[in-house]
Amino acid sequence: MGLAWPACCNFIMTEFLLAITLFVVAHAVPPAPPVRRRLVSVLGRRLYLTVYSLVSLVLLAWVISAAVRAPLILLWAPAGWQWVVPVAAMPLAFWFLVAGLAEANPLSISFRRRDPAVPLPPIVRITRHPVIWGFLIWAGAHVPPNGDVVSLILFGGMTALAAAGIPMLDRRARQRLGDLQWRELSRTTSVFPFAAVLSGRSGLRVNGPFLHHAIAGTAAYLWFLLKGHEWLIGVDPLAWLSW
C-alpha cells in the first residue's frame, strides 16, 4: 500500500499537466487567424463561437477537477485575509464576463455580431477587453488563498494566458478593421479598465443593458459565493470567517 499513493499522485499530476496543456493549446491554436478563418468558413461564426466556448468550458472543468484531486504541496501558509482578495475582486470579474459576452464588441471577444458602425457600448468604453479582464481578475485573485504548487500553476498560468491574449486580440482587431477604423474605435476605449473614461477620452452613459448586466453579474457572484463555489469546487469561499 505504501507505493499506491505515490503512483496515484503521479497519475493525477500527469492528468493535471495534460489538462492544462490542452487548455492552453485550445486557446492558442483555434484563435490563430488562419485556423480561425478556416473554422469560421466551415462552421459559421455563431457555431464556431458556440463550439469553441463549450470546448473551453469542458477543458476548464477538467483542469479544475484535476487540480482539486492533485496532491497538496504548500508554498505559503494559509491565512484568513487571503480569501478577502477573491471575495472582493470577483464581483468585478463576473460583471466584466457577463457584460463583455453579452454586448457587441468590434474590438474583442463577444457572443454578439460586432458592427463597427454602432457606437461602443458602455462596457467596451470601460475596457475594450472586458471578457479577458474578467478571466484575468478571476485567476489573479485566486492566487493568494491557494498557496500550493498546483494552484499556482493553474491560476498563475491562467493569469499569464489572459494577459497574453490582450495584444493578440488587438492585432487581430486591427487587421480586421484596418488602421483608420481601429484608431477611431480604440481612441474611445482603453486596455486598462476605466483609463479612457478617467482621462476624458471617452464618456460613459449608463443605459438599460449596462444595468441589467451589472445585476446579472452580481446575482451570479452571490450564487457562487453562497452556494455555487462549494457545490462545484468543494470549497466554501466564506469558511475563513470562522477561522
Side-chain angles (χ1 to χ4, degrees), residues 64-217:
I64 293 174
S65 172
V68 169
R69 293 179 284 111
L72 185 67
I73 306 173
L74 285 178
L75 296 174
W76 59 81
W81 68 265
Q82 296 164 355
W83 285 96
V84 177
V85 178
V87 169
M90 285 308 294
L92 185 61
F94 272 105
W95 176 45
F96 277 160
L97 286 170
V98 171
L101 290 173
E103 289 283 13
N105 185 353
L107 298 170
S108 191
I109 300 169
S110 172
F111 278 148
R112 293 184 59 188
R113 187 171 294 277
R114 300 165 289 187
D115 184 357
V118 175
L120 296 179
I123 190 65
V124 183
R125 290 179 179 272
I126 291 172
T127 172
R128 61 177 174 264
H129 300 297
V131 175
I132 294 295
W133 274 102
F135 278 109
L136 198 154
I137 293 170
W138 163 74
H142 279 75
V143 170
N146 293 282
D148 61 278
V149 171
V150 167
S151 294
L152 187 61
I153 294 173
L154 170 60
F155 295 116
M158 294 292 185
T159 303
L161 183 64
I166 291 176
M168 181 190 71
L169 288 170
D170 277 350
R171 286 194 301 270
R172 186 191 303 168
R174 191 164 194 157
Q175 292 171 355
R176 183 179 65 253
L177 297 170
D179 286 343
L180 181 62
Q181 196 167 46
W182 158 259
R183 286 196 298 268
E184 182 180 349
L185 290 174
S186 62
R187 179 177 55 83
T188 57
T189 181
S190 58
V191 169
F192 292 97
F194 298 100
V197 175
L198 294 175
S199 68
R201 289 191 291 112
S202 180
L204 183 61
R205 292 183 59 187
V206 176
N207 56 18
F210 184 90
L211 293 175
H212 296 159
H213 299 145
I215 293 171

